C-alpha cells in the first residue's frame, strides 16, 4: 500500500505541475496589461514600469516562470494586488463555500439517483425506466448556467420560494446545489440500473431467489452490495467535477466560493489568485481520485494496490 500511495502521489505532483505551468502561460498571453489595470489608464509610463518591475513582469517569460516555480515550491503563491493579501489565503477563505455546494450536490445526486436506478432495474423497460433514460440524456445536454437561470426564474422570481443569491439566508444553497446535481441524477441512475441488471443475472442472485428471498431483499441487499464499488468510484469523480463545475454556477448565483473569486481574478488579471484557485481545484480533484483508489482497494479484496 505504501508503494501504491507513493506512486499515486508522484503522479499527482506531475499533474499539479502541469496545471501550474498551463495556468502560468495562459494568464500571461491573455491580452491586457496588469499594470494598467492596477494603476488605471491615466498612469504615467514611469509608474507603469515601476509596477511591472515590482511584479517581475518586465523579466523574460522563462525567467518569470523559474522564479514563480521557486516561490510555489516554498508555498508562496504571491499576493493579490486587488485584495491586498496572500493569494492562497484568499482562495482558502472561499473554499468552504465551494465545498459546501459540492457536498450538498453530491448528497442530492446520490439520494435521488441511487434509488431511481434500483427502481428502474426492478422494472426495466417500464415507464420510469424510459423517463429516467430520457432525463439523463436531457440533463447531460442542457448547459448548467442555463439550467440555473431557469431555476432562478421559476423558484425565485415566479414562485418566490427560494432566494437566488447567497445573501438570502441558509436556504440560498439549495438552488445552486440542485443546479449542480440535476444533470448527474439521471446519469447516476442509469449507472446503478445497468450495474444492478448485470448483477441480477449472476448465480448468487438466482440462488437467493431460489431460497425464497424477496425481490426487495435481493435487489437492495445482495445486488446493492455488489455494485457499491463502481458507485463509490463515480461518486469520487463526481465530487471533483462538482468542485470544478462550481465556477460557472457560483457566478450565476453570486455564491461566494473560489469559482466566483477566480472569475473576478481573471477579469482583473490577478495572476496570483488565478493560479492559487486553479491549484486548489486541481489538488482537490487529485486528492479525491486518490481517496477513491484507496476505498476501492478496501472495498474489494480482489483488488491489490498494484492493479488498482
Amino acid at each position: 500500500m505504501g508503494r501504491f500511495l507513493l506512486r499515486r502521489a508522484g503522479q499527482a505532483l506531475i499533474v499539479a505541475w502541469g496545471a501550474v505551468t498551463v495556468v502560468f502561460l495562459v494568464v500571461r498571453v491573455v491580452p491586457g496589461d496588469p499594470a494598467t489595470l492596477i494603476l488605471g489608464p491615466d498612469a504615467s509610463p514611469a509608474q507603469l514600469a515601476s509596477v511591472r518591475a515590482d511584479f517581475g513582469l518586465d523579466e523574460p517569460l522563462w525567467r518569470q516562470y523559474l522564479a514563480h516555480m521557486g516561490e510555489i515550491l516554498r508555498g508562496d503563491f504571491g499576493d493579490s494586488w486587488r485584495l491586498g493579501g496572500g493569494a492562497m489565503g484568499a482562495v482558502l477563505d472561499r473554499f468552504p463555500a465551494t465545498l459546501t455546494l459540492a457536498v450538498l450536490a453530491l448528497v442530492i445526486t446520490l439520494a435521488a439517483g441511487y434509488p431511481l436506478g434500483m427502481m428502474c432495474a426492478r422494472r426495466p423497460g417500464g415507464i420510469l425506466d424510459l423517463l429516467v433514460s430520457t432525463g439523463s440524456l436531457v440533463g447531460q445536454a442542457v448547459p448548467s448556467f442555463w439550467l440555473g437561470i431557469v431555476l432562478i426564474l421559476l423558484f425565485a422570481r415566479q414562485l418566490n420560494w427560494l432566494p437566488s443569491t447567497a445573501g438570502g439566508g441558509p436556504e440560498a444553497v439549495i438552488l445552486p446545489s440542485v443546479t449542480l446535481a440535476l444533470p448527474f441524477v439521471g446519469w447516476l441512475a442509469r449507472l446503478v440500473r445497468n450495474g444492478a441488471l448485470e448483477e441480477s443475472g449472476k448465480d448468487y442472485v438466482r440462488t437467493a431467489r431460489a431460497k425464497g428471498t424477496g425481490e426487495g431483499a435481493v435487489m437492495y441487499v445482495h445486488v446493492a452490495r455488489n455494485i457499491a464499488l463502481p458507485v463509490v468510484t463515480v461518486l469520487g469523480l463526481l465530487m471533483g467535477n462538482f468542485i470544478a463545475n462550481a465556477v460557472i454556477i457560483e457566478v450565476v448565483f453570486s455564491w461566494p466560493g473560489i469559482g466566483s473569486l477566480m472569475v473576478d481574478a481573471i477579469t482583473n488579471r490577478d495572476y496570483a489568485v488565478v493560479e492559487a484557485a486553479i491549484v486548489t481545484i486541481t489538488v482537490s480533484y487529485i486528492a479525491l481520485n486518490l481517496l477513491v483508489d484507496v476505498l476501492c482497494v478496501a472495498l474489494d479484496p480482489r483488488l491489490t494496490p498494484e492493479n488498482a
Side-chain angles (χ1 to χ4, degrees):
M1 181 63 78
R3 185 178 300 175
F4 165 73
L5 292 175
L6 285 175
R7 186 173 72 247
R8 285 290 193 267
Q11 294 171 349
L13 288 174
I14 294 174
V15 173
W17 168 76
V20 170
T21 301
V22 170
V23 173
F24 173 87
L25 295 174
V26 168
V27 297
R28 281 163 175 78
V29 298
V30 174
D33 183 11
T36 304
L37 288 173
I38 295 173
L39 297 177
D42 297 328
S44 66
Q47 292 173 323
L48 294 174
S50 176
V51 169
R52 295 190 189 102
D54 290 340
F55 285 89
L57 299 175
D58 56 344
E59 298 285 345
L61 189 61
W62 65 268
R63 189 169 293 173
Q64 291 184 45
Y65 176 73
L66 292 179
H68 184 64
M69 292 304 296
E71 292 171 351
I72 290 179
L73 291 176
R74 296 193 299 270
D76 181 12
F77 283 83
D79 295 330
S80 168
W81 67 263
R82 189 171 57 91
L83 301 176
M88 183 56 76
V91 170
L92 294 180
D93 286 343
R94 296 283 196 99
F95 188 66
T98 297
L99 191 61
T100 299
L101 208 60
V103 169
L104 187 54
L106 186 69
V107 171
I108 293 171
T109 303
L110 180 61
Y114 194 88
L116 277 175
M118 296 300 290
M119 287 187 286
C120 291
R122 293 188 65 178
R123 295 178 178 83
I127 295 177
L128 181 61
D129 191 19
L130 294 175
L131 289 175
V132 170
S133 179
T134 303
S136 174
L137 294 175
V138 172
Q140 293 296 304
V142 171
S144 58
F145 68 87
W146 181 86
L147 178 61
I149 294 172
V150 171
L151 292 180
I152 289 174
L153 292 175
L154 178 60
F155 292 101
R157 295 292 182 265
Q158 295 296 326
L159 299 176
N160 200 28
W161 288 355
L162 295 168
S164 61
T165 60
E171 64 273 16
V173 72
I174 296 176
L175 282 182
S177 58
V178 169
T179 303
L180 272 176
L182 274 181
F184 296 97
V185 169
W187 182 75
L188 178 62
R190 295 297 296 173
L191 175 73
V192 172
R193 179 251 191 205
N194 293 338
L197 286 178
E198 182 179 350
E199 291 293 322
S200 297
K202 294 187 177 179
D203 291 341
Y204 75 90
V205 175
R206 287 193 291 266
T207 301
R209 286 171 175 157
K211 290 180 178 180
T213 305
E215 189 63 23
V218 170
M219 294 298 294
Y220 292 101
V221 177
H222 298 286
V223 172
R225 184 185 308 159
N226 284 278
I227 64 173
L229 188 62
V231 171
V232 168
T233 303
V234 166
L235 290 180
L237 297 176
L238 278 180
M239 185 64 181
N241 282 330
F242 287 149
I243 292 175
N245 292 341
V247 173
I248 298 175
I249 302 303
E250 287 177 3
V251 174
V252 173
F253 290 92
S254 299
W255 188 257
I258 60 176
S260 55
L261 175 67
M262 186 169 64
V263 171
D264 290 339
I266 292 173
T267 303
N268 293 281
R269 302 293 298 274
D270 198 344
Y271 293 153
V273 173
V274 174
E275 291 173 334
I278 293 293
V279 169
T280 301
I281 293 173
T282 302
V283 170
S284 300
Y285 197 91
I286 292 170
L288 287 167
N289 276 273
L290 180 60
L291 178 61
V292 167
D293 289 339
V294 173
L295 287 176
C296 288
V297 173
L299 288 172
D300 192 342
R302 296 170 297 178
L303 291 176
T304 64
E306 285 70 25
N307 59 27

